[in-house]
Amino acid sequence: MGVILFLLLVSSLIRGNASSQACLDATGSIPEYEPISETDHPGTMIFNVSKNSPVNISYSINSTYRSVLQTYFRDFQNDSLFTLYLNKSLDLEELYNILGVQFESIEFSFCDTHLRKSYLIIKPENEFHPFINMSGNLNIQENTPIGTVVYSLLERTSDKDRPVSETFLYSLVSNRDSPFRIDRASSGEIILNSSLDYDSGQRTYLLNISVTDSGDDKAKISYASLRINVTDVDDQGPQYDYPDCVAPCLIPEYTAIIDLSYKGQLNVQPASIRARDLDTLHFPIAYSFYDDSSGGSSSNDNSGFFRIDKSTGTVYQLKPASEALWPTKRLVVIAEEIGSSQSSAKAILMVRVRTRDPTLNDTSVVKPDRSTPTERDKSLLAAVIAISVLMGLILIAAAIVIFLMQRRHRKMVSPEDTKSEPSTEEEEIHSERSEEDRNVLPTRAKTMEKDLITSVSNPLIDPLFLNRPLPKRGAQLEPLHLKDTGIGTNNTTKKKKKSRRRFKKKENEIFDGTKDYNMEADPKFYESPDKSKIKRSARSMKTPTEHIVVQNDNVEYVD
């Protein structure tokens, strides 16, 4: 039994060695190194070899990521050929994003014995442009020393290509009159080449930068801009506002003339003592006296005779000059910035006594300095302006109220004009009569009264009614058809009230058949079926729009 097992093992080994040998014989023409580009398209043939025997060629990928890499390849073989193809592009950037590994080559093993190996070399391609991450602006102080590295570009440059280029070349584009430079193209360091001055020079610089990812013919270039702002520092001391003093005004000299008995604010000439910060930081200024006799100490009080206001620089005399013997007093004023540098400036104030100094004339008058308004003056001026504005508003409001009251009073009706408005058209017509018509009203009233009495005694009966047969006894009589002598109109809408203006001259009215007519008769008026009176407006003489229509009494009625 053991002999049989031994014989079977030996025969399998012989068959395996024979199969491996046949596979090796078939792969004899497979290259050991084969290059391929990462941008080659799927379906690209890697190599195509002829087989020495019809045995199938087996292969595998020697990598930890075998399962992923195997999907990038496929093969085709028959009895005489073996071909290896790309199943998808070997994109190095994609492989790095998926596996986190930078591949340079892939190792293949052919046949079961793995004695035949082939290396697929992946050639990278420059596909992407470099990128400089410029975040915000760069601020540098004006006192930055020359030669200082103000910005580093290398640490802010990136490239999506794999492997990443180890060399980037930088340069400044259109760098004329710029205080910055790049010494070494590969360093990416921007260096200050000349001094900066915020107060008298340029305050903003815009640098155009170019970066190249490699030095070959396929290099890609990108551009970026960097804005550099120069900031101010406290590098200048205060300066006095002295008339006709060309900057820098080193030590200006002021003068004040006093009497022996004078006390109070000094009238300093040629201008008040004022200093300002030349920097844009505008630090406040503190004023004091500088005493040479006390070892250079500063104080707001000078021997009890003079005092200087720390904030405004106003000088006051506390005691009269009669208590001292000096004809002239020399005071040193210090103006010091309340800032980081605490720089200061000096000025001289010469106080002269008129009766003791022979160089002075008698016309000199001591007056306090009023060249600039004090805080009290400003407050009083503001109060006066506010009161003036308030009084003006009150006057305007009063004028508006008076105007509205007068306008309302005009609209009110006086007692003598309390008559009621005309309620009928007849009254309206009579209200429009002229003064001449009013003189004949009594005569017309008597005539109308007689007509009224006659019409009551002899009523006007419809002639058609008289021709009808008399009704029988006991029958109800038909109503009498009396003639309507009133005034009718074809417009039943409410009329707009007339103007109340009196004594307005009117044109002669057109007779409408309802009033007394003293002139000659008009035959056409009686022949016309309808008679109308044009009703004219009391306010305008425009084309009339309404008419009063009166039926002709002479026309027979037809049932």
Side-chain angles (χ1 to χ4, degrees), residues 32 135 137 252 329 455 465 497 529 539 549:
E32 184 176 1
S135 57
N137 300 331
K329 186 66 174 179
S455 62
F465 178 78
K497 292 184 179 181
R539 295 186 180 181
V549 179

Side-chain angles (χ1 to χ4, degrees), residues 265-284:
Q265 180 180 340
L266 294 184
N267 182 14
V268 180
Q269 297 297 331
S272 301
I273 299 177
R274 296 287 186 272
R276 59 184 176 87
D277 185 10
L278 293 180
D279 296 311
T280 58
L281 302 177
H282 301 301
F283 285 112

